[in-house]
């Protein structure tokens, strides 16, 4: 198993351990209170047991591409719980041998196609009937993550969401790829294998005027470090056949 994943699992599960240690400390404090009657202490214990099983709801949403968000969320969940089980869709066809589950197909940068759970995901480790429900708003381009779990595990859900956001920012399936965005929710990765490397000769003035664009393409990390926005555009003007349409191709490649 990847060492980074082991580290993430250990860090996330320590959240539960910290919660348990805090609860134990509270029990010791109550038990050590000489003014508390035994009956009151038993009542306190019974109430704590009930509270530990209370189901809490959660509701998150964040901006992302649909397939990237669903893929990275499932990665974060699997890093904590291993394989997850998508619940059977009510309208999904099924038979006695195999039950269909809700999934979507995600195409990775290397062309690999993977199916990841989408919709309702069962997480019995977080209490009976615990689940995460995943949906996507195509108008707002936001991924919605709702569900319920036992109260004591709610901080674990917070960590899963934080991990998902980190994966989106640092290990997006679209990272370093040229995208064709016809659908703002689901871009497609462009195939640049047929773009040839013919040299294009530019005037000194054109090179100078395109420096801001070139800097953002070649050195995005420096721009981010210095607070320079990566979003930048250039309007190409010139007569027919001068290379306006061809120019962006070698820049992308």
């Amino acid at each position: 198993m990847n060492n980074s994943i082991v580290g993430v699992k250990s860090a996330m599960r320590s959240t539960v351990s910290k919660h348990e240690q805090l609860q134990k400390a509270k029990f010791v404090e109550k038990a050590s209170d000489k003014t508390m009657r035994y009956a009151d202490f038993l009542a306190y214990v019974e109430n704590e047991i009930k509270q530990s099983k209370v189901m809490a709801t959660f509701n998150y949403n964040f901006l992302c591409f649909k397939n990237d968000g669903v893929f990275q969320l499932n990665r974060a969940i699997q890093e904590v719980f291993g394989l997850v089980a998508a619940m059977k869709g009510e309208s999904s066809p099924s038979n006695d041998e195999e039950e269909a589950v809700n999934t979507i197909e995600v195409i990775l940068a290397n062309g690999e196609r993977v199916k990841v759970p989408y919709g309702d995901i069962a997480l019995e480790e977080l209490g009976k009937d615990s689940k995460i429900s995943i949906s996507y708003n195509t108008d707002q381009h936001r991924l919605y993550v709702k569900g319920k779990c036992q109260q004591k595990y709610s901080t674990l859900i917070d960590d899963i969401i934080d991990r998902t956001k980190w994966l989106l920012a640092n290990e997006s399936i679209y990272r370093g790829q040229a995208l064709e965005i016809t659908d703002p929710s689901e871009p497609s990765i462009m195939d640049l294998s047929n773009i040839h490397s013919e040299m294009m000769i530019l005037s000194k003035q054109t090179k100078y005027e395109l420096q801001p664009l070139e800097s953002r393409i070649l050195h995005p990390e420096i721009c981010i470090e210095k607070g320079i926005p990566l979003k930048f555009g250039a309007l190409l003007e010139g007569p027919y056949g001068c290379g306006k349409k061809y120019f962006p191709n070698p820049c992308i490649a």
Side-chain angles (χ1 to χ4, degrees):
M1 181 178 291
N2 187 296
N3 289 335
S4 63
I5 293 180
V6 173
V8 171
K9 279 189 175 184
S10 176
M12 287 187 170
R13 284 175 176 166
S14 69
T15 303
V16 179
S17 298
K18 289 178 181 178
H19 174 82
E20 292 175 348
Q21 292 300 325
L22 288 173
Q23 292 303 105
K24 289 178 182 177
K26 286 171 60 178
F27 269 74
V28 171
E29 182 182 355
K30 291 292 182 180
S32 303
D33 186 353
K34 295 181 180 180
T35 63
M36 176 174 278
R37 295 184 307 166
Y38 181 66
D40 292 337
F41 178 71
L42 288 181
Y44 169 78
V45 172
E46 289 177 356
N47 181 64
E48 285 296 304
I49 292 174
K50 290 180 181 179
Q51 289 298 317
S52 69
K53 297 180 180 179
V54 168
M55 300 300 286
T57 60
F58 52 86
N59 188 347
Y60 303 88
N61 70 85
F62 43 89
L63 189 69
C64 65
F65 293 125
K66 178 181 178 180
N67 286 1
D68 200 13
V70 175
F71 180 78
Q72 304 300 355
L73 176 62
N74 274 276
R75 278 187 65 187
I77 295 172
Q78 289 181 27
E79 286 176 0
V80 181
F81 302 107
L83 294 177
V84 296
M87 295 180 176
K88 178 186 172 186
E90 292 181 1
S91 59
S92 300
S94 64
N95 53 46
D96 293 337
E97 296 179 358
E98 182 179 356
E99 292 189 344
V101 295
N102 294 325
T103 61
I104 63 171
E105 185 176 73
V106 177
I107 303 176
L108 304 182
N110 61 3
E112 180 185 0
R113 295 173 180 267
V114 296
K115 290 187 178 294
V116 294
Y118 181 72
D120 292 340
I121 297 177
L123 293 176
E124 294 299 330
E125 296 90 342
L126 303 188
K128 184 180 180 181
D129 297 327
S130 294
K131 69 175 182 178
I132 288 181
S133 297
I134 309 171
S135 60
Y136 190 81
N137 187 307
T138 54
D139 293 327
Q140 301 175 355
H141 314 301
R142 303 188 76 85
L143 188 72
Y144 283 79
V145 184
K146 304 177 182 180
K148 59 182 180 178
C149 66
Q150 287 186 358
Q151 180 70 42
K152 61 182 179 181
Y153 294 122
S154 57
T155 53
L156 200 60
I157 299 296
D158 294 336
D159 288 337
I160 289 174
I161 297 300
D162 289 341
R163 176 63 176 168
T164 301
K165 291 179 179 179
W166 186 94
L167 290 170
L168 284 167
N170 296 276
E171 298 183 14
S172 167
I173 62 175
Y174 302 121
R175 183 179 178 86
Q177 303 298 316
L179 304 180
E180 181 179 4
I181 304 179
T182 54
D183 180 352
S185 300
E186 297 184 52
S188 57
I189 298 174
M190 295 176 62
D191 181 8
L192 304 179
S193 59
N194 294 324
I195 294 179
H196 56 78
S197 57
E198 182 179 332
M199 182 181 295
M200 174 172 278
I201 300 174
L202 303 174
S203 67
K204 290 183 179 180
Q205 180 65 24
T206 303
K207 285 184 178 180
Y208 175 78
E209 292 176 350
L210 289 174
Q211 275 185 349
L213 181 61
E214 182 182 23
S215 299
R216 286 166 169 81
I217 294 174
L218 298 180
H219 308 289
E221 67 285 348
I222 296 178
C223 294
I224 293 173
E225 182 181 341
K226 294 184 178 296
I228 301 173
L230 292 181
K231 188 174 181 180
F232 187 83
L235 179 62
L236 305 178
E237 182 182 8
Y240 176 80
C242 68
K244 299 187 299 297
K245 197 170 184 179
Y246 169 76
F247 173 74
N249 290 342
C251 291
I252 294 173

